[in-house]
mmCIF file of all heavy atoms in Angstrom:
data_model
loop_
_atom_site.group_PDB
_atom_site.id
_atom_site.type_symbol
_atom_site.label_atom_id
_atom_site.label_comp_id
_atom_site.label_asym_id
_atom_site.label_seq_id
_atom_site.Cartn_x
_atom_site.Cartn_y
_atom_site.Cartn_z
ATOM 1 N N THR A 1 0.319 5.979 -6.088
ATOM 2 C CA THR A 1 0.700 5.222 -4.864
ATOM 3 C C THR A 1 2.140 5.568 -4.463
ATOM 4 O O THR A 1 3.037 4.715 -4.419
ATOM 5 C CB THR A 1 0.545 3.725 -5.065
ATOM 6 O OG1 THR A 1 1.305 3.352 -6.231
ATOM 7 C CG2 THR A 1 -0.933 3.375 -5.276
ATOM 8 N N PRO A 2 2.425 6.863 -4.143
ATOM 9 C CA PRO A 2 3.852 7.208 -3.895
ATOM 10 C C PRO A 2 4.448 6.587 -2.670
ATOM 11 O O PRO A 2 5.694 6.350 -2.646
ATOM 12 C CB PRO A 2 3.774 8.740 -3.768
ATOM 13 C CG PRO A 2 2.344 9.016 -3.340
ATOM 14 C CD PRO A 2 1.529 7.991 -4.018
ATOM 15 N N ASN A 3 3.701 6.330 -1.651
ATOM 16 C CA ASN A 3 4.263 5.750 -0.468
ATOM 17 C C ASN A 3 4.700 4.312 -0.577
ATOM 18 O O ASN A 3 5.790 3.917 -0.236
ATOM 19 C CB ASN A 3 3.271 5.917 0.646
ATOM 20 C CG ASN A 3 2.979 7.373 0.977
ATOM 21 O OD1 ASN A 3 3.836 8.088 1.456
ATOM 22 N ND2 ASN A 3 1.758 7.800 0.769
ATOM 23 N N LEU A 4 3.838 3.531 -1.216
ATOM 24 C CA LEU A 4 4.191 2.131 -1.476
ATOM 25 C C LEU A 4 5.290 1.987 -2.521
ATOM 26 O O LEU A 4 6.165 1.145 -2.473
ATOM 27 C CB LEU A 4 2.931 1.307 -1.865
ATOM 28 C CG LEU A 4 2.035 0.989 -0.664
ATOM 29 C CD1 LEU A 4 0.650 0.570 -1.132
ATOM 30 C CD2 LEU A 4 2.673 -0.019 0.216
ATOM 31 N N ASP A 5 5.231 2.919 -3.536
ATOM 32 C CA ASP A 5 6.293 2.925 -4.520
ATOM 33 C C ASP A 5 7.624 3.247 -3.899
ATOM 34 O O ASP A 5 8.663 2.641 -4.204
ATOM 35 C CB ASP A 5 6.001 3.914 -5.625
ATOM 36 C CG ASP A 5 4.722 3.574 -6.405
ATOM 37 O OD1 ASP A 5 4.246 2.469 -6.294
ATOM 38 O OD2 ASP A 5 4.224 4.471 -7.132
ATOM 39 N N GLN A 6 7.648 4.222 -2.970
ATOM 40 C CA GLN A 6 8.918 4.521 -2.290
ATOM 41 C C GLN A 6 9.386 3.398 -1.415
ATOM 42 O O GLN A 6 10.593 3.067 -1.305
ATOM 43 C CB GLN A 6 8.722 5.836 -1.432
ATOM 44 C CG GLN A 6 10.020 6.216 -0.685
ATOM 45 C CD GLN A 6 9.837 7.485 0.068
ATOM 46 O OE1 GLN A 6 8.910 8.263 -0.143
ATOM 47 N NE2 GLN A 6 10.824 7.757 0.943
ATOM 48 N N LEU A 7 8.420 2.739 -0.733
ATOM 49 C CA LEU A 7 8.768 1.540 0.074
ATOM 50 C C LEU A 7 9.452 0.473 -0.781
ATOM 51 O O LEU A 7 10.414 -0.131 -0.381
ATOM 52 C CB LEU A 7 7.514 1.025 0.788
ATOM 53 C CG LEU A 7 7.742 -0.027 1.850
ATOM 54 C CD1 LEU A 7 8.394 0.567 3.094
ATOM 55 C CD2 LEU A 7 6.407 -0.701 2.216
ATOM 56 N N ALA A 8 8.871 0.230 -1.941
ATOM 57 C CA ALA A 8 9.470 -0.733 -2.859
ATOM 58 C C ALA A 8 10.809 -0.318 -3.285
ATOM 59 O O ALA A 8 11.726 -1.156 -3.465
ATOM 60 C CB ALA A 8 8.533 -0.941 -4.081
ATOM 61 N N GLY A 9 11.003 0.991 -3.550
ATOM 62 C CA GLY A 9 12.255 1.505 -3.976
ATOM 63 C C GLY A 9 13.378 1.384 -2.917
ATOM 64 O O GLY A 9 14.544 1.131 -3.201
ATOM 65 N N GLU A 10 12.938 1.488 -1.647
ATOM 66 C CA GLU A 10 13.866 1.386 -0.539
ATOM 67 C C GLU A 10 14.132 -0.066 -0.153
ATOM 68 O O GLU A 10 15.133 -0.416 0.485
ATOM 69 C CB GLU A 10 13.356 2.089 0.674
ATOM 70 C CG GLU A 10 13.272 3.568 0.589
ATOM 71 C CD GLU A 10 12.679 4.271 1.788
ATOM 72 O OE1 GLU A 10 12.356 3.527 2.763
ATOM 73 O OE2 GLU A 10 12.547 5.488 1.812
ATOM 74 N N GLY A 11 13.210 -0.975 -0.584
ATOM 75 C CA GLY A 11 13.328 -2.356 -0.149
ATOM 76 C C GLY A 11 13.509 -3.281 -1.385
ATOM 77 O O GLY A 11 14.160 -2.953 -2.336
ATOM 78 N N ARG A 12 12.848 -4.425 -1.314
ATOM 79 C CA ARG A 12 12.869 -5.438 -2.426
ATOM 80 C C ARG A 12 11.443 -5.755 -2.815
ATOM 81 O O ARG A 12 10.563 -5.914 -1.885
ATOM 82 C CB ARG A 12 13.583 -6.700 -1.982
ATOM 83 C CG ARG A 12 14.994 -6.562 -1.497
ATOM 84 C CD ARG A 12 15.996 -6.415 -2.627
ATOM 85 N NE ARG A 12 16.038 -7.515 -3.594
ATOM 86 C CZ ARG A 12 16.724 -8.646 -3.383
ATOM 87 N NH1 ARG A 12 17.394 -8.854 -2.299
ATOM 88 N NH2 ARG A 12 16.687 -9.556 -4.378
ATOM 89 N N ARG A 13 11.162 -5.804 -4.044
ATOM 90 C CA ARG A 13 9.862 -6.239 -4.538
ATOM 91 C C ARG A 13 9.877 -7.802 -4.600
ATOM 92 O O ARG A 13 10.744 -8.333 -5.275
ATOM 93 C CB ARG A 13 9.609 -5.666 -5.938
ATOM 94 C CG ARG A 13 9.104 -4.267 -5.919
ATOM 95 C CD ARG A 13 8.758 -3.786 -7.307
ATOM 96 N NE ARG A 13 9.889 -3.827 -8.269
ATOM 97 C CZ ARG A 13 9.903 -3.270 -9.448
ATOM 98 N NH1 ARG A 13 8.863 -2.619 -9.870
ATOM 99 N NH2 ARG A 13 10.987 -3.307 -10.192
ATOM 100 N N LEU A 14 8.936 -8.367 -3.942
ATOM 101 C CA LEU A 14 8.785 -9.823 -3.960
ATOM 102 C C LEU A 14 7.860 -10.097 -5.166
ATOM 103 O O LEU A 14 6.632 -10.060 -5.082
ATOM 104 C CB LEU A 14 8.169 -10.388 -2.675
ATOM 105 C CG LEU A 14 8.925 -9.972 -1.400
ATOM 106 C CD1 LEU A 14 8.198 -10.498 -0.163
ATOM 107 C CD2 LEU A 14 10.342 -10.500 -1.431
ATOM 108 N N THR A 15 8.469 -10.377 -6.317
ATOM 109 C CA THR A 15 7.670 -10.482 -7.557
ATOM 110 C C THR A 15 7.011 -11.804 -7.796
ATOM 111 O O THR A 15 6.202 -11.967 -8.688
ATOM 112 C CB THR A 15 8.549 -10.159 -8.761
ATOM 113 O OG1 THR A 15 9.630 -11.141 -8.836
ATOM 114 C CG2 THR A 15 9.158 -8.786 -8.637
ATOM 115 N N ASN A 16 7.346 -12.813 -6.953
ATOM 116 C CA ASN A 16 6.718 -14.156 -7.078
ATOM 117 C C ASN A 16 6.194 -14.599 -5.728
ATOM 118 O O ASN A 16 6.369 -15.739 -5.309
ATOM 119 C CB ASN A 16 7.799 -15.133 -7.568
ATOM 120 C CG ASN A 16 7.237 -16.273 -8.324
ATOM 121 O OD1 ASN A 16 5.985 -16.490 -8.317
ATOM 122 N ND2 ASN A 16 8.084 -17.038 -9.024
ATOM 123 N N LEU A 17 5.531 -13.651 -5.081
ATOM 124 C CA LEU A 17 4.818 -13.965 -3.801
ATOM 125 C C LEU A 17 3.516 -14.659 -4.109
ATOM 126 O O LEU A 17 2.627 -14.104 -4.776
ATOM 127 C CB LEU A 17 4.600 -12.649 -3.031
ATOM 128 C CG LEU A 17 3.770 -12.764 -1.747
ATOM 129 C CD1 LEU A 17 4.456 -13.705 -0.752
ATOM 130 C CD2 LEU A 17 3.542 -11.396 -1.123
ATOM 131 N N ARG A 18 3.369 -15.831 -3.518
ATOM 132 C CA ARG A 18 2.188 -16.683 -3.797
ATOM 133 C C ARG A 18 1.277 -16.724 -2.553
ATOM 134 O O ARG A 18 1.708 -17.078 -1.501
ATOM 135 C CB ARG A 18 2.609 -18.039 -4.253
ATOM 136 C CG ARG A 18 3.681 -18.017 -5.310
ATOM 137 C CD ARG A 18 3.940 -19.338 -5.896
ATOM 138 N NE ARG A 18 2.757 -19.796 -6.707
ATOM 139 C CZ ARG A 18 2.556 -19.372 -7.953
ATOM 140 N NH1 ARG A 18 3.339 -18.493 -8.510
ATOM 141 N NH2 ARG A 18 1.509 -19.817 -8.607
ATOM 142 N N VAL A 19 0.048 -16.328 -2.775
ATOM 143 C CA VAL A 19 -0.964 -16.335 -1.668
ATOM 144 C C VAL A 19 -2.010 -17.409 -2.053
ATOM 145 O O VAL A 19 -1.854 -18.113 -3.028
ATOM 146 C CB VAL A 19 -1.628 -14.947 -1.532
ATOM 147 C CG1 VAL A 19 -0.552 -13.993 -0.963
ATOM 148 C CG2 VAL A 19 -2.181 -14.389 -2.765
ATOM 149 N N ASN A 20 -3.037 -17.522 -1.259
ATOM 150 C CA ASN A 20 -4.121 -18.433 -1.585
ATOM 151 C C ASN A 20 -5.233 -17.736 -2.349
ATOM 152 O O ASN A 20 -5.253 -16.488 -2.419
ATOM 153 C CB ASN A 20 -4.661 -19.078 -0.303
ATOM 154 C CG ASN A 20 -3.577 -19.821 0.437
ATOM 155 O OD1 ASN A 20 -2.669 -20.404 -0.223
ATOM 156 N ND2 ASN A 20 -3.611 -19.880 1.759
ATOM 157 N N PRO A 21 -6.146 -18.506 -3.011
ATOM 158 C CA PRO A 21 -7.079 -17.837 -3.962
ATOM 159 C C PRO A 21 -8.038 -16.862 -3.323
ATOM 160 O O PRO A 21 -8.619 -16.017 -4.063
ATOM 161 C CB PRO A 21 -7.748 -19.000 -4.619
ATOM 162 C CG PRO A 21 -6.796 -20.147 -4.469
ATOM 163 C CD PRO A 21 -6.194 -19.934 -3.129
ATOM 164 N N THR A 22 -8.323 -16.941 -2.054
ATOM 165 C CA THR A 22 -9.209 -15.951 -1.420
ATOM 166 C C THR A 22 -8.669 -15.578 -0.008
ATOM 167 O O THR A 22 -7.699 -16.137 0.450
ATOM 168 C CB THR A 22 -10.672 -16.491 -1.276
ATOM 169 O OG1 THR A 22 -10.679 -17.600 -0.375
ATOM 170 C CG2 THR A 22 -11.265 -16.824 -2.583
ATOM 171 N N CYS A 23 -9.427 -14.695 0.602
ATOM 172 C CA CYS A 23 -8.911 -13.910 1.772
ATOM 173 C C CYS A 23 -8.673 -14.795 3.050
ATOM 174 O O CYS A 23 -7.523 -14.768 3.513
ATOM 175 C CB CYS A 23 -9.978 -12.827 2.095
ATOM 176 S SG CYS A 23 -11.653 -13.423 2.034
ATOM 177 N N SER A 24 -9.667 -15.446 3.602
ATOM 178 C CA SER A 24 -9.477 -16.089 4.844
ATOM 179 C C SER A 24 -8.473 -17.301 4.794
ATOM 180 O O SER A 24 -7.703 -17.573 5.663
ATOM 181 C CB SER A 24 -10.810 -16.533 5.477
ATOM 182 O OG SER A 24 -11.643 -17.272 4.588
ATOM 183 N N PRO A 25 -8.514 -18.091 3.672
ATOM 184 C CA PRO A 25 -7.500 -19.121 3.529
ATOM 185 C C PRO A 25 -6.045 -18.517 3.572
ATOM 186 O O PRO A 25 -5.160 -19.167 4.159
ATOM 187 C CB PRO A 25 -7.847 -19.778 2.212
ATOM 188 C CG PRO A 25 -9.314 -19.624 2.075
ATOM 189 C CD PRO A 25 -9.589 -18.270 2.627
ATOM 190 N N THR A 26 -5.878 -17.375 2.895
ATOM 191 C CA THR A 26 -4.559 -16.770 2.948
ATOM 192 C C THR A 26 -4.231 -16.370 4.395
ATOM 193 O O THR A 26 -3.047 -16.568 4.851
ATOM 194 C CB THR A 26 -4.549 -15.501 2.039
ATOM 195 O OG1 THR A 26 -4.506 -15.912 0.699
ATOM 196 C CG2 THR A 26 -3.340 -14.632 2.336
ATOM 197 N N ARG A 27 -5.157 -15.761 5.090
ATOM 198 C CA ARG A 27 -4.886 -15.386 6.520
ATOM 199 C C ARG A 27 -4.574 -16.597 7.394
ATOM 200 O O ARG A 27 -3.724 -16.512 8.259
ATOM 201 C CB ARG A 27 -6.088 -14.592 7.015
ATOM 202 C CG ARG A 27 -6.128 -13.143 6.515
ATOM 203 C CD ARG A 27 -7.545 -12.531 6.705
ATOM 204 N NE ARG A 27 -7.493 -11.112 6.396
ATOM 205 C CZ ARG A 27 -7.523 -10.571 5.225
ATOM 206 N NH1 ARG A 27 -7.573 -11.377 4.151
ATOM 207 N NH2 ARG A 27 -7.501 -9.277 5.064
ATOM 208 N N ALA A 28 -5.215 -17.722 7.111
ATOM 209 C CA ALA A 28 -4.969 -18.907 7.915
ATOM 210 C C ALA A 28 -3.495 -19.365 7.696
ATOM 211 O O ALA A 28 -2.774 -19.736 8.690
ATOM 212 C CB ALA A 28 -5.911 -20.003 7.550
ATOM 213 N N SER A 29 -3.061 -19.352 6.467
ATOM 214 C CA SER A 29 -1.662 -19.744 6.191
ATOM 215 C C SER A 29 -0.669 -18.747 6.713
ATOM 216 O O SER A 29 0.378 -19.087 7.242
ATOM 217 C CB SER A 29 -1.438 -19.909 4.689
ATOM 218 O OG SER A 29 -2.197 -20.951 4.178
ATOM 219 N N LEU A 30 -1.021 -17.461 6.673
ATOM 220 C CA LEU A 30 -0.158 -16.404 7.184
ATOM 221 C C LEU A 30 0.060 -16.568 8.674
ATOM 222 O O LEU A 30 1.256 -16.485 9.171
ATOM 223 C CB LEU A 30 -0.811 -15.055 6.840
ATOM 224 C CG LEU A 30 0.029 -13.781 7.115
ATOM 225 C CD1 LEU A 30 -0.560 -12.609 6.288
ATOM 226 C CD2 LEU A 30 0.017 -13.381 8.568
ATOM 227 N N PHE A 31 -1.011 -16.759 9.430
ATOM 228 C CA PHE A 31 -0.906 -16.859 10.906
ATOM 229 C C PHE A 31 -0.262 -18.196 11.289
ATOM 230 O O PHE A 31 0.514 -18.226 12.225
ATOM 231 C CB PHE A 31 -2.292 -16.761 11.519
ATOM 232 C CG PHE A 31 -2.665 -15.318 11.762
ATOM 233 C CD1 PHE A 31 -3.333 -14.578 10.842
ATOM 234 C CD2 PHE A 31 -2.359 -14.754 13.004
ATOM 235 C CE1 PHE A 31 -3.695 -13.290 11.087
ATOM 236 C CE2 PHE A 31 -2.700 -13.443 13.242
ATOM 237 C CZ PHE A 31 -3.364 -12.697 12.292
ATOM 238 N N SER A 32 -0.612 -19.303 10.660
ATOM 239 C CA SER A 32 -0.179 -20.615 11.106
ATOM 240 C C SER A 32 1.168 -21.057 10.571
ATOM 241 O O SER A 32 1.843 -21.921 11.113
ATOM 242 C CB SER A 32 -1.219 -21.664 10.767
ATOM 243 O OG SER A 32 -1.276 -21.805 9.322
ATOM 244 N N GLY A 33 1.571 -20.448 9.409
ATOM 245 C CA GLY A 33 2.750 -20.904 8.722
ATOM 246 C C GLY A 33 2.625 -22.232 8.053
ATOM 247 O O GLY A 33 3.702 -22.882 7.712
ATOM 248 N N THR A 34 1.416 -22.695 7.821
ATOM 249 C CA THR A 34 1.234 -23.947 7.151
ATOM 250 C C THR A 34 0.024 -23.934 6.198
ATOM 251 O O THR A 34 -0.609 -22.848 5.954
ATOM 252 C CB THR A 34 1.053 -25.086 8.183
ATOM 253 O OG1 THR A 34 1.187 -26.367 7.556
ATOM 254 C CG2 THR A 34 -0.295 -25.044 8.877
ATOM 255 N N ASP A 35 -0.367 -25.040 5.623
ATOM 256 C CA ASP A 35 -1.411 -25.059 4.613
ATOM 257 C C ASP A 35 -2.746 -24.768 5.236
ATOM 258 O O ASP A 35 -3.077 -25.230 6.330
ATOM 259 C CB ASP A 35 -1.409 -26.461 3.917
ATOM 260 C CG ASP A 35 -2.248 -26.469 2.659
ATOM 261 O OD1 ASP A 35 -3.453 -26.736 2.810
ATOM 262 O OD2 ASP A 35 -1.747 -26.173 1.623
ATOM 263 N N HIS A 36 -3.565 -24.035 4.462
ATOM 264 C CA HIS A 36 -4.857 -23.644 4.996
ATOM 265 C C HIS A 36 -5.817 -24.853 5.155
ATOM 266 O O HIS A 36 -6.796 -24.754 5.990
ATOM 267 C CB HIS A 36 -5.490 -22.566 4.171
ATOM 268 C CG HIS A 36 -5.803 -22.936 2.749
ATOM 269 N ND1 HIS A 36 -7.041 -23.311 2.324
ATOM 270 C CD2 HIS A 36 -5.036 -23.044 1.622
ATOM 271 C CE1 HIS A 36 -7.028 -23.582 1.024
ATOM 272 N NE2 HIS A 36 -5.787 -23.408 0.605
ATOM 273 N N HIS A 37 -5.645 -25.983 4.408
ATOM 274 C CA HIS A 37 -6.505 -27.062 4.596
ATOM 275 C C HIS A 37 -6.286 -27.755 5.953
ATOM 276 O O HIS A 37 -7.173 -28.440 6.481
ATOM 277 C CB HIS A 37 -6.225 -28.131 3.508
ATOM 278 C CG HIS A 37 -6.634 -27.614 2.135
ATOM 279 N ND1 HIS A 37 -5.739 -26.972 1.320
ATOM 280 C CD2 HIS A 37 -7.778 -27.725 1.468
ATOM 281 C CE1 HIS A 37 -6.322 -26.692 0.144
ATOM 282 N NE2 HIS A 37 -7.584 -27.127 0.298
ATOM 283 N N LEU A 38 -5.096 -27.609 6.539
ATOM 284 C CA LEU A 38 -4.777 -28.092 7.853
ATOM 285 C C LEU A 38 -5.268 -27.171 8.942
ATOM 286 O O LEU A 38 -5.749 -27.585 9.996
ATOM 287 C CB LEU A 38 -3.307 -28.405 8.025
ATOM 288 C CG LEU A 38 -2.686 -29.446 7.115
ATOM 289 C CD1 LEU A 38 -1.182 -29.442 7.224
ATOM 290 C CD2 LEU A 38 -3.232 -30.790 7.474
ATOM 291 N N ALA A 39 -5.143 -25.829 8.684
ATOM 292 C CA ALA A 39 -5.316 -24.852 9.688
ATOM 293 C C ALA A 39 -6.773 -24.425 9.948
ATOM 294 O O ALA A 39 -7.034 -23.610 10.813
ATOM 295 C CB ALA A 39 -4.499 -23.594 9.339
#
């Protein structure tokens, strides 16, 4: 994965990034900026 590795090297690794347990709940929080149970 040289491209993502280089991106990480040029930037910052977010080592404690917390998402939701599955896909669409994560997307709901990403778009709305709030909890997926509300969104």
Side-chain angles (χ1 to χ4, degrees):
T1 55
N3 297 294
L4 285 164
D5 296 346
Q6 181 176 345
L7 189 71
E10 294 179 0
R12 301 283 301 276
R13 281 183 300 190
L14 306 177
T15 61
N16 207 346
L17 174 59
R18 311 191 70 79
V19 292
N20 299 329
T22 65
C23 45
S24 52
T26 288
R27 285 164 169 76
S29 293
L30 189 159
F31 273 88
S32 68
T34 195
D35 192 273
H36 63 100
H37 294 90
L38 296 171

